[in-house]
Amino acid sequence: MLVAVSLLFPLWWAPPARAEEPSGVFIPNFWDPAQRPDKPDLSSIRVIRFLTEDDYPPMHFLTEDGKLAGFNVDLARAVCDALSVACTVQSRRWDTLFDALKEGRGDAVVASVRVTPKLRESFGFTAPYLRTPARFVARAGTAIDPSPETLAGKTVAVVARSAHEDYLATFFPKAERKTFDDLDRARAALQHGDVDLLFADGLTMAVWLNGQEANECCAFVGGPYGESRWFGEGVSIATRKNEVVLRRAIDWALQRVAERGVYAELYLRYFPVGFY
């Protein structure tokens, strides 16, 4: 019964609201419009020093003239604008971000951080502002609606020993899994017609589908699939554990950013191929 329920509702336990733009791209909304929290007291907050990384386009990257850009960077600035506080966004190596936060060299990390129980032991997190569901990708023009029955006998590329492989084996047991050591090889197999579909991270695949390398070969089919047991709690902004007021302020600001349509604007700017 659990399998049937999961496939009928392929998002997470409480699916985000979605709005469809004229472009046909669905924009996720993770904030409940019925909840109207009061604006926190910001008297203790003069500036928010965000920390990020610069080598994960389109989330955060350096432009040709050396400026920080990306979905995370612009979202951080939109948060500061909603709060009417000063804002800095500084780039650091990924492996130094949380040490810098812990040592007070920044106030918050906005770097596509996937929340884990281990990280929660040492840091506080806002509510998720993004989730990265899994998606099936097929050759362009392929007419298939993935289900346990329709995938019977179909060959599906997936990265070996990944959450995606485990999910595929659990919910699509009749599919013939073809595992690869990395996503590049799995994508090449799909492009060359060696497999019928590919099952992988939706955000990563959306960026690939929008790029020159894909050459308009393929498209999403079915899904999205986002059960937290396999694909995590979502992407959040991290703070030091004792910074309760700051987290409440950022959460409040994120909801304002969504209500004003700024979140939708950023999503469409950086993800012209939506992954929901």
Side-chain angles (χ1 to χ4, degrees), residues 30-31 50-52 59-60 71-72 75-76 79 94 97-98 101 107-117 119-120 123-132 203 231-240 247 250-251 254 263 276:
F30 303 102
W31 299 274
F50 282 102
L51 303 174
T52 191
M59 303 306 292
H60 37 260
F71 181 81
N72 287 326
L75 186 65
V79 163
W94 171 262
L97 286 174
F98 283 97
L101 179 61
D107 303 307
V109 172
V110 56
S112 297
V113 178
R114 297 174 189 252
V115 183
T116 65
L119 280 175
R120 282 196 184 279
F123 301 95
F125 291 90
T126 65
Y129 65 87
L130 196 66
R131 294 183 189 267
T132 54
L203 189 159
F231 308 120
E233 300 177 36
V235 172
S236 298
I237 296 173
T239 70
R240 287 180 292 277
R247 283 197 300 281
I250 295 175
D251 274 329
L254 285 170
Y263 183 93
Y276 288 93

Side-chain angles (χ1 to χ4, degrees), residues 40-41 44-49 101-109 122-126 237-251:
D41 179 4
S44 62
I45 300 175
R46 292 288 181 268
V47 62
I48 302 177
R49 299 170 299 161
L101 179 61
K102 190 181 295 184
E103 294 163 7
R105 285 177 278 161
D107 303 307
V109 172
S122 303
F123 301 95
F125 291 90
T126 65
I237 296 173
T239 70
R240 287 180 292 277
K241 197 135 189 172
N242 63 341
E243 296 282 6
V244 178
V245 173
L246 177 59
R247 283 197 300 281
R248 287 177 180 166
I250 295 175
D251 274 329

Side-chain angles (χ1 to χ4, degrees), residues 8-244:
L8 284 170
F9 302 96
L11 291 172
W12 32 94
W13 305 125
R18 302 197 298 176
E20 187 171 1
E21 291 292 303
S23 63
V25 176
F26 283 99
I27 300 170
N29 181 8
F30 303 102
W31 299 274
D32 183 356
Q35 298 227 351
R36 306 289 299 180
D38 294 331
K39 185 176 182 179
D41 179 4
L42 302 178
S43 58
S44 62
I45 300 175
R46 292 288 181 268
V47 62
I48 302 177
R49 299 170 299 161
F50 282 102
L51 303 174
T52 191
E53 201 249 1
D54 63 11
D55 193 23
Y56 184 34
M59 303 306 292
H60 37 260
F61 58 93
L62 289 177
T63 62
E64 291 183 357
D65 57 359
K67 294 181 180 179
L68 265 176
F71 181 81
N72 287 326
V73 176
D74 285 352
L75 186 65
R77 290 170 177 155
V79 163
C80 292
D81 183 61
L83 293 171
S84 298
V85 299
C87 178
T88 65
V89 186
Q90 182 183 25
S91 170
R92 289 180 173 271
R93 287 199 332 265
W94 171 262
D95 59 351
T96 68
L97 286 174
F98 283 97
D99 284 341
L101 179 61
K102 190 181 295 184
E103 294 163 7
R105 285 177 278 161
D107 303 307
V109 172
V110 56
S112 297
V113 178
R114 297 174 189 252
V115 183
T116 65
K118 184 171 180 57
L119 280 175
R120 282 196 184 279
E121 292 175 5
S122 303
F123 301 95
F125 291 90
T126 65
Y129 65 87
L130 196 66
R131 294 183 189 267
T132 54
R135 296 295 304 267
F136 284 104
V137 181
R139 297 275 301 175
T142 300
I144 185 169
D145 185 12
S147 72
E149 292 72 31
T150 59
L151 291 196
K154 299 289 186 184
T155 305
V156 183
V158 67
V159 174
R161 299 172 297 280
S162 65
H164 298 90
E165 182 187 12
D166 186 47
Y167 187 90
L168 194 63
T170 302
F171 294 108
F172 299 89
K174 297 179 182 179
E176 295 182 8
R177 298 186 305 281
K178 187 168 183 179
T179 59
F180 295 84
D181 290 336
D182 60 60
L183 188 57
D184 287 340
R185 289 185 173 90
R187 288 190 294 221
L190 179 65
Q191 280 184 296
H192 296 153
D194 298 331
V195 297
D196 298 306
L197 299 114
L198 166 62
F199 190 62
D201 175 72
L203 189 159
T204 303
M205 296 309 300
V207 174
W208 178 69
L209 290 172
N210 190 53
Q212 293 182 350
E213 185 182 348
N215 196 27
E216 300 183 351
C217 72
C218 311
F220 285 129
V221 293
Y225 306 90
E227 284 83 351
S228 59
R229 174 181 166 187
W230 282 269
F231 308 120
E233 300 177 36
V235 172
S236 298
I237 296 173
T239 70
R240 287 180 292 277
K241 197 135 189 172
N242 63 341
E243 296 282 6
V244 178

